[in-house]
Amino acid sequence: MASGRFSDVPRLAVSAAALAACVAIWQLLASGHVDLHFVTFANVPPPAEVLDAAWELARSPKLVQHLGSSLSRIAAGFALAASLGIGLGLAIGRLRWVHATLLPPLEVLRPIPAVAWIPLAILMFPSSEGSMIFITFIGALFPILLNTIHGVESLDPRLVASARSLGCRGLRLYAEVIAPGAAPSIVTGLSIGMGTCWFCLVTAEMISGQFGIGYYTWEAYTIQNYADIVVGMLLIGALGMGSSALIRSLGRCWMPWAYGVGR
């Protein structure tokens, strides 16, 4: 009976109540300057102070500059990673000679964290803009690549054999059978890659950026404007959540069969 009553409660109301509880706990800890010895909230701004800082930022022209810089870098890095990752993944997963040639060097590079590329990227690219786009590209590339390879290799060989028996060959085989069959794994890789993209971009902007949400957050720390730090963090979270939701929506349009009716 209890589970039945809970299932009748709208999910939106439950989510709103959970968010309100988190804000209430935040208010309690920050306003009371709670010190637990291993962690202290003495310098954490309360929600009302963060709200005021967010309103000031919304009225400032700096918001457009920071948002425009971060979004353009994410768009460029992610588009490059998606194009190369899906293309290489389809080829590596299907063609043995490509698998034998390209996968070993990529496997050597894959364990290197994207942030470890920052010093080399600064040396390789004459502009900081190019190095930050490269870091976001590296961060998204391997999740997309590996998930695409997994999707192609998991494809039922009977589907490919049936398509070939009907005369489907070459690029048409990729477009009509292999890519749609691997689509769920590709979308998963794109979603993971987008999350990694934001993590890498914020780190790169903190180190070498002059505009962007990551730079804004780090600048707020250096001038001890603690409320702006939280505003920057919340903006990063909102942008990351929005971009992931956009990818999932595009995935539903691309492969409606994978989500069923009514979901």
Side-chain angles (χ1 to χ4, degrees):
M1 291 294 289
S3 61
R5 286 196 299 272
F6 180 79
S7 64
D8 294 335
V9 178
R11 283 189 301 173
L12 187 61
V14 175
S15 300
L19 284 173
C22 291
V23 173
I25 294 171
W26 173 14
Q27 171 70 33
L28 189 67
L29 294 173
S31 60
H33 303 293
V34 175
D35 187 354
L36 301 176
H37 299 296
F38 65 93
V39 60
T40 177
F41 294 86
N43 296 317
V44 175
E49 193 175 323
V50 173
L51 194 61
D52 290 339
W55 177 244
E56 287 299 321
L57 178 62
R59 297 168 57 192
S60 167
K62 292 191 302 183
L63 178 62
V64 176
Q65 287 180 311
H66 290 306
L67 278 180
S69 298
S70 290
L71 291 175
S72 62
R73 290 164 190 155
I74 283 287
F78 186 75
L80 288 171
S83 303
L84 190 62
I86 294 174
L88 282 179
L90 291 173
I92 291 173
R94 188 66 196 160
L95 304 174
R96 289 182 180 178
W97 68 271
V98 179
H99 186 285
T101 305
L102 295 183
L103 196 58
L106 289 172
E107 282 293 335
V108 173
L109 297 176
R110 184 176 62 85
I112 302 173
V115 293
W117 285 87
I118 291 178
L120 186 60
I122 293 173
L123 296 175
M124 289 168 58
F125 293 89
S127 71
S128 60
E129 199 67 28
S131 63
M132 285 186 283
I133 291 174
F134 176 74
I135 295 303
T136 58
F137 160 75
I138 287 291
L141 175 64
F142 289 104
I144 298 172
L145 175 68
L146 294 179
N147 276 278
T148 303
I149 294 173
H150 173 73
V152 174
E153 291 179 342
S154 302
L155 195 63
D156 190 341
R158 290 173 296 184
L159 289 175
V160 178
S162 299
R164 280 185 163 174
S165 68
L166 296 173
C168 191
R169 295 281 193 281
L171 292 178
R172 190 180 168 197
L173 184 66
Y174 274 95
E176 297 184 3
V177 179
I178 296 174
S185 291
I186 294 174
V187 172
T188 300
L190 291 173
S191 183
I192 297 172
M194 178 56 80
T196 314
C197 240
W198 277 106
F199 167 74
C200 297
L201 175 69
V202 169
T203 306
E205 286 180 343
M206 285 182 173
I207 293 174
S208 61
Q210 293 184 336
F211 289 103
I213 301 303
Y215 173 77
Y216 168 81
T217 306
W218 185 250
E219 183 189 36
Y221 169 74
T222 58
I223 60 176
Q224 298 184 342
N225 194 342
Y226 300 135
D228 283 352
I229 295 175
V230 183
V231 172
M233 292 169 60
L234 293 176
L235 265 177
I236 293 165
L239 290 170
M241 183 176 66
S243 53
S244 294
L246 177 62
I247 289 176
R248 288 196 296 272
S249 298
L250 293 175
R252 287 191 181 94
C253 295
W254 184 23
M255 46 177 197
W257 67 89
Y259 289 89
V261 178
R263 291 188 59 181

